[in-house]
Amino acid sequence: MLEVRVKRNLPGFKLDVAFSVDQEILAILGPSGSGKTMTLQCISGLIRPDEGYVNLNGKVLLDTSNKINLPARLRKVGFVFQNYALFPHLTVNQNIAYGIRHLDSNEINDRVAELLEKMNIPKLGERFPRQLSAGQQQRVAVARALAPEPEVLLLDEPFSALDSLVKERLQLELQVLHNFYRGIILFVTHDLTEGYKFSSKIAVFESGHIVQHDAKEKVITSPSNHTVARLVGFKNLMEGSVVKINRTAVTIDVPELGGNIKAIVPASTHLKINQRITVGVRPEYVQIKQQPGENTFYCTVDRIAEGVSSTNCYFHVNTVGVTRHYLMVILPRQDSDTLKEGQKRHLYLPPKHVVVITN
Amino acid sequence: MMETYLAPLWISLRTVIVATAITFFLWIAAARWMTRYTGRLKSLIDAIFILPLVLPPTVVGLGLLLTFGKNGPIGQFLGLFDTTIVFTWWATVISAVTVAFPLMYMTARGAFEQVDTHVEDAARTLGASEWRLFWSVTMPMAWPGVAAATILSLARCLGEFGATLMLAGNIPGKTATIPVAIYFSIQEGDMNVALILVGIVLVIAFGSLAAMAYWKGKAYKARATMVNRENVE
């Protein structure tokens, strides 16, 4: 288990995070400049926070209140840098062997060969980094970080430098990583899809703070606040107030929709009548219906943005109010092909996909 | 007769090699110390390191004379051991180091600053001590720039004249380096000796440039063949 508490004050930025990770993959998700990379640097000992405590499997790596600050080289923390940071003057074999030169030469050779095999680059050992593609460089960087058998592996935006095709393949391959790597993996990203695919839990960072840290399914189905909701893809967010509560079924008045909307909430949610809340609906869950009905709103197609496999449609709600409210809907190509701007449709927001955000 | 040419050549070669080596290691110590030092005096110390480069050589020579002379602080200290530096061979080395060090310091610093800090951090997370990191990562990565700076310092040592003349004088067979010998040959109207010494300097200069080009070309060729072989496979 990895326990982390770090505080760092910089002009214009304050990092203050605390979290713990079991033997699992945690995605650290957040916009750039939210302190994700800095947190990894504090864990690995590359920067010293003003105040902090880091404990890895019972070993204290950092404890500022007791003046403990293990240097990076003694922490046994694997780090894969965003630009891979391979040693350009060393071959792939020498790169991987860099962290294990205390072993005898046979052991080193065996370990390097084993890692090359596992990372699926068995023939590249004699090459120099500049002779490798970005994807191959990444695999060497992972192999190099894993060679000293670290208890935790930190990956800083591992896929940001790759084109989308390579990215998809490597994401699949990196998932294999935890078949043979038994340690903790922390993985920084600003891309939700990436974080979701690769992790079991997600910690959402926002300007130096953790705004939500949950199982990944929970983060995308019930975001803890407005910021998280926006970050995890709730394009449709509306203000409202609670009208009626019937166990898990809640009726909410949403002026922007010109009426009431029903939501199914988890039993643990505590709501009061007249409480001000935000409702969120992911654009891929909005459906087009033939007739009016419950949770169905009559809307006009405002703009259509065609994508490769799906289409983003922006509707505005036909209400009597002054301000226009837009709903974004992601439709499969087969449904959107007949849609034209200016047409009117009934949009259905399924109650179980209407999420209530209380703060 | 040969002694006229061979003695200055021999003195110059010894001076250049020893002075360049001292400059190189002094620079490493200074660079490593300066990258860690973050105090308020940083830019002042920087300026002091570079100062001899912008001062007239005679001023540098006078400064050295005042420091190493009988009444200077280091001169007095050495006097305790009955040793003196002024007008000895070591004076040529000290003069050369004093003028070559700023050049080394300035030109090689850029090479160090260009080394990707992420690569150095990677070495740290892989368990490297600062010492190993420096010799196995920083130095090899900065090497082209450092090598160029070293060759520049070497050339500066070879050409050193003003400060050498003031601190070491012109003692044939002892402190007369090639540039000093050339100057005094001309003064004495011995044009032939001067021209032969000039020829020797030109040979050394071209020789080191050629050696550098050859060495660079070889390194490049080795890498190129490696790429080709792998592409064929």
Side-chain angles (χ1 to χ4, degrees):
Chain A
M1 187 164 110
L2 174 69
E3 229 184 302
V4 180
R5 283 200 308 271
V6 288
K7 283 186 188 174
R8 193 160 188 247
N9 268 313
L10 293 174
F13 182 77
K14 217 172 128 184
L15 180 74
D16 184 357
V17 293
F19 60 94
S20 59
V21 199
D22 291 317
Q23 302 290 106
E24 62 190 349
I25 302 180
L26 173 73
I28 294 182
L29 177 73
S32 33
S34 57
K36 302 173 305 233
T37 300
M38 196 185 283
T39 305
L40 294 196
Q41 287 172 322
C42 289
I43 297 170
S44 60
L46 294 173
I47 55 177
R48 185 188 179 281
D50 298 327
E51 253 183 274
Y53 178 82
V54 177
N55 184 318
L56 176 59
N57 295 329
K59 199 168 88 180
V60 178
L61 304 183
L62 173 80
D63 185 353
T64 46
S65 58
N66 285 314
K67 299 231 175 342
I68 299 172
N69 180 22
L70 235 56
R73 71 192 150 92
L74 300 177
R75 290 199 181 189
K76 285 205 111 191
V77 169
F79 205 123
V80 177
F81 291 81
Q82 190 169 0
N83 62 354
Y84 313 135
L86 296 176
F87 305 126
H89 57 295
L90 300 180
T91 63
V92 168
N93 283 338
Q94 291 168 329
N95 261 280
I96 299 174
Y98 192 87
I100 48 171
R101 61 163 199 166
H102 52 277
L103 303 177
D104 71 50
S105 63
N106 282 336
E107 275 180 289
I108 293 176
N109 292 340
D110 290 351
R111 178 79 61 80
V112 171
E114 181 196 334
L115 282 163
L116 286 172
E117 194 69 46
K118 277 176 178 165
M119 295 311 296
N120 208 7
I121 40 171
K123 284 183 182 157
L124 301 182
E126 294 303 320
R127 291 208 192 173
F128 284 91
R130 65 176 173 280
Q131 300 165 327
L132 304 177
S133 69
Q136 291 166 335
Q137 286 188 23
Q138 187 200 49
R139 284 181 249 189
V140 175
V142 173
R144 182 180 69 174
L146 288 180
E149 301 186 310
E151 288 171 53
V152 56
L153 182 65
L154 311 176
L155 300 152
D156 189 5
E157 301 261 6
F159 305 112
S160 66
L162 304 171
D163 62 67
S164 59
L165 223 70
V166 181
K167 200 185 222 174
E168 244 165 69
R169 207 181 64 225
L170 273 176
Q171 284 172 346
L172 282 174
E173 283 183 13
L174 272 194
Q175 279 171 332
V176 182
L177 208 144
H178 69 281
N179 292 344
F180 66 86
Y181 176 65
R182 296 274 164 231
I184 303 161
I185 299 178
L186 256 69
F187 155 65
V188 158
T189 180
H190 59 261
D191 180 0
L192 170 72
T193 355
E194 209 170 281
Y196 192 82
K197 257 192 233 171
F198 196 57
S199 67
S200 49
K201 281 189 183 166
I202 296 179
V204 184
F205 274 50
E206 162 78 19
S207 51
H209 295 271
I210 295 182
V211 279
Q212 187 168 11
H213 179 187
D214 265 317
K216 60 176 178 181
E217 297 81 7
K218 188 120 191 277
V219 172
I220 67 151
T221 53
S222 50
S224 65
N225 69 21
H226 216 274
T227 315
V228 181
R230 206 185 299 268
L231 208 63
V232 300
F234 283 84
K235 301 286 181 192
N236 303 311
L237 290 168
M238 295 154 283
E239 304 296 321
S241 54
V242 179
V243 176
K244 207 171 90 187
I245 305 168
N246 182 8
R247 272 180 296 182
T248 62
V250 182
T251 307
I252 302 137
D253 173 43
V254 180
E256 286 167 339
L257 290 175
N260 286 356
I261 185 171
K262 211 173 111 186
I264 306 292
V265 298
S268 56
T269 320
H270 296 290
L271 292 170
K272 291 193 290 279
I273 299 289
N274 286 334
Q275 188 179 345
R276 304 286 302 166
I277 50 134
T278 303
V279 289
V281 185
R282 306 184 72 87
E284 59 271 27
Y285 286 124
V286 182
Q287 298 166 17
I288 293 183
K289 281 274 161 99
Q290 299 308 318
Q291 300 99 25
E294 186 193 55
N295 273 21
T296 307
F297 301 91
Y298 197 48
C299 302
T300 306
V301 182
D302 205 85
R303 198 152 49 82
I304 297 173
E306 279 183 40
V308 179
S309 52
S310 62
T311 300
N312 295 351
C313 304
Y314 300 86
F315 289 79
H316 66 257
V317 191
N318 298 319
T319 47
V320 279
V322 196
T323 50
R324 269 187 177 181
H325 185 73
Y326 293 90
L327 280 176
M328 180 182 163
V329 184
I330 296 179
L331 294 172
R333 284 299 297 254
Q334 58 191 50
D335 296 345
S336 67
D337 280 351
T338 56
L339 215 57
K340 296 272 175 328
E341 286 172 11
Q343 287 179 334
K344 292 182 171 24
R345 288 286 184 277
H346 295 286
L347 292 187
Y348 173 60
L349 313 178
K352 66 171 180 177
H353 291 302
V354 175
V355 169
V356 174
I357 301 156
T358 48
N359 42 5
Chain B
M1 188 61 205
M2 278 303 268
E3 192 64 8
T4 326
Y5 315 115
L6 282 182
L9 173 64
W10 179 231
I11 292 165
S12 267
L13 281 182
R14 276 194 308 165
T15 304
V16 163
I17 290 165
V18 174
T20 308
I22 292 176
T23 305
F24 183 79
F25 287 105
L26 262 184
W27 162 73
I28 284 176
R32 278 181 60 69
W33 179 67
M34 280 303 275
T35 44
R36 279 189 211 167
Y37 177 71
T38 49
R40 259 181 302 171
L41 297 176
K42 196 176 171 97
S43 32
L44 181 71
I45 296 170
D46 251 8
I48 292 172
F49 280 162
I50 295 168
L51 201 60
L53 190 69
V54 291
L55 287 175
T58 42
V59 174
V60 176
L62 186 63
L64 288 173
L65 212 49
L66 291 177
T67 314
F68 289 93
K70 272 203 179 69
N71 301 317
I74 295 179
Q76 278 184 345
F77 174 76
L78 289 172
L80 299 177
F81 307 95
D82 265 340
T83 319
T84 165
I85 289 269
V86 181
F87 299 131
T88 66
W89 175 73
W90 279 105
T92 67
V93 174
I94 288 170
S95 311
V97 169
T98 311
V99 295
F101 177 79
L103 206 62
M104 183 82 194
Y105 184 75
M106 261 180 64
T107 39
R109 183 167 54 184
F112 263 28
E113 281 167 358
Q114 270 170 22
V115 174
D116 182 357
T117 49
H118 284 148
V119 178
E120 294 180 301
D121 279 347
R124 290 191 182 101
T125 62
L126 290 167
S129 61
E130 290 298 307
W131 181 255
R132 183 179 171 220
L133 162 67
F134 180 80
W135 288 108
S136 68
V137 176
T138 315
M139 201 56 175
M141 284 179 73
W143 183 243
V146 173
T150 310
I151 287 174
L152 216 59
S153 314
L154 191 140
R156 185 70 188 82
C157 288
L158 184 66
E160 169 45 31
F161 175 71
T164 310
L165 191 60
M166 294 192 64
L167 192 68
N170 172 34
I171 306 170
K174 210 169 143 201
T175 67
T177 58
I178 295 180
V180 174
I182 291 174
Y183 177 77
F184 282 97
S185 313
I186 294 172
Q187 277 223 317
E188 289 158 18
D190 215 341
M191 206 55 171
N192 286 339
V193 174
L195 284 175
I196 289 172
L197 286 172
V198 167
I200 292 174
V201 169
L202 282 174
V203 169
I204 297 175
F206 275 118
S208 47
L209 283 180
M212 200 170 101
Y214 173 77
W215 171 73
K216 258 177 115 175
K218 209 171 167 180
Y220 177 76
K221 225 172 160 184
R223 283 173 189 174
T225 40
M226 197 162 49
V227 179
N228 290 336
R229 202 178 56 227
E230 273 167 22
N231 288 349
V232 170
E233 270 171 15

